[in-house]
Structure formats: structure tokens, C-alpha cells
Amino acid sequence: MLVAAAVCPCPPLLVPDVAAGAAPELDTARAACTDALGVLAASLPDRLLVVGPAGQSGRGPHPEGTRGSFRGFGVDLDVRLGTGNAGPAATERELPPSLAVASWLLERTGWCQAPVEGLGVGEPLAAERCIAVGREIGGRPERVALLVMGDAGACRTLKAPGYLDERAAGFDADIARALGSADVAALKALDAELAYELKVSGRAPWQVLAGAAENADLAGTLLYEDAPYGVGYVVAAWS
């Protein structure tokens, strides 16, 4: 059963070592992520499941202890998912970047409340499949908390990675409203094609959250919403 959820953005720039001189620009977002993780800790879960967008090589489950790094972003920094010992399955592949950022957040806040596992979700995964995956998570007998990673549109300004798309601001506002109010129906109804066109990386993970929260009576709080680099970042907590 789902007892709490935190929604955080997943740009590697959230990690100060990666952002370097630009690090202070995301201090407010980092603080909001810390607050959201505090809500997860307060829920006293039996297990924390981290869900984030992933490419082909990072899809599927990642057991506790799986390692990730930011070397691909020019920084010699390693992270590990959770605090448990890495078994053989955890050494087979690295975490996708979204789960590496989540691992950094967990290490930064000293997460030790419950075992952690990761799930990389393919960004093109159909809404129905995302929701079904979420239902499986929500149907677990143990108390599960979710840390859901993903960015909103990358088309908010002329200098954004996807250039300026006039549809992006409205779509991102709808996302922020849904995540901030724990609106499961609105998340299920997100337009996957439009999300793809606007380079929204969080659509699939958010729809996993929607499936997991179907039978959970959770209220949402929007902790942060901005687009400092032309990419929409949202932080929310459900409890």
C-alpha cells in the first residue's frame, strides 16, 4: 500500500558538483527536494521505491546497492542506491541518470528509514502500462513510499533544450496543478504524445505514481515549480 510520495526533478545540474558555478541557481529546488524527502521519512515506510525515466539500458528494476556515477557529465562522483550491500544483481549495470540523481538526494539527506529499490521506466511506455505497473506497486501488502523523478517540458524559453514551444507553459502548469493536488485522474489523462513533443521526461513515472495512488487517500502539496533553464522542474509531496 502506498503511504507517501515525493516528486522531484532529475536534472544532473541538481548535483552541485555537476552544476559547478551555477549551483546556487537551484538551491531553492534542492531545499524543496529535502522537504519532500522529509515527508517520505515521516511516513515510516517499510520500503522506498525510486521511479525515474530511463533509456533502454536503464529500464527495469535496480536492486539496493546498485551504483551510478556522474562521469558522463564530466564529474568524478559515484553514488549508490540506498545503504544496503550490493549483491551480484546490483553490479550488472549502472543506474540511469534520473536514479543517480535520486541516489544523490537520498545520500544528501541521510536516508536510512527503509530499504530502497529502483525502477527505471522507459519514457515512451504507454499510459495504460504505466498505470498497471503502479497498481502492482500500490497493491503490495507492505507500506511503500515512492520517490518519483522526472522533469516537465524542456521547451519553455528560446534557450531551452527543446527551443520555445508556446504550448509548454500551459502543459507544465497542468502538471504542477495535478502533482500539487495529488490529482490521480489528471495524471492518468496526461497526453503522452504532447508530452513527447515537449520533451517531458516525467510523464511515464508520474503515471506510475497515479496507478499506485488509486486506492490511497493522499493529499498533495506543491513545494516548488519553476523553469530556471527553460525546463520545468516540479517538487511535490503526497501524504
Side-chain angles (χ1 to χ4, degrees):
M1 120 180 119
L2 182 67
V3 296
V7 175
C8 295
C10 58
L13 288 174
L14 204 60
V15 180
D17 286 354
V18 176
E25 297 176 15
L26 287 179
D27 278 348
T28 305
R30 293 185 195 98
C33 290
T34 298
D35 291 342
L37 289 176
V39 171
L40 295 187
S43 72
L44 302 176
D46 298 320
R47 183 168 300 276
L48 174 64
L49 180 59
V50 183
V51 182
Q56 187 67 37
S57 63
R59 296 179 191 176
H62 295 272
E64 185 160 29
T66 303
R67 295 187 178 277
S69 81
F70 295 94
R71 290 190 179 87
F73 303 96
V75 176
D76 187 14
L77 176 64
D78 295 324
V79 291
R80 188 176 68 175
L81 184 65
T83 58
N85 294 325
T91 62
E92 293 177 359
R93 54 184 178 151
E94 277 201 349
L95 295 170
S98 66
L99 298 191
V101 173
S103 298
W104 177 82
L105 286 172
L106 292 170
E107 290 182 5
R108 178 174 181 263
T109 55
W111 179 269
C112 61
Q113 280 74 12
V116 182
E117 62 183 79
L119 177 64
V121 181
E123 291 183 42
L125 193 64
E128 294 79 7
R129 181 57 186 149
C130 294
I131 293 165
V133 170
R135 285 176 181 147
E136 293 174 5
I137 295 168
R140 294 186 182 187
E142 60 188 346
R143 293 170 57 84
V144 178
L146 282 178
L147 172 54
V148 184
M149 309 299 292
D151 300 338
C155 302
R156 293 277 290 272
T157 66
L158 293 173
K159 294 184 178 180
Y163 196 65
L164 175 64
D165 190 311
E166 299 294 344
R167 302 170 296 174
F171 194 63
D172 283 4
D174 290 341
I175 289 168
R177 280 194 294 269
L179 292 173
S181 60
D183 190 336
V184 169
L187 291 175
K188 287 182 179 179
L190 286 176
D191 187 328
E193 183 175 349
L194 180 56
Y196 175 80
E197 292 174 2
L198 297 177
K199 303 186 184 301
V200 176
S201 72
R203 190 273 309 171
W206 298 331
Q207 291 184 321
V208 171
L209 168 60
E214 279 183 338
N215 297 314
D217 185 17
L218 302 180
T221 302
L222 184 65
L223 300 174
Y224 176 89
E225 193 276 322
D226 202 355
Y229 302 111
V231 181
Y233 299 147
V234 179
V235 182
W238 294 18
S239 63

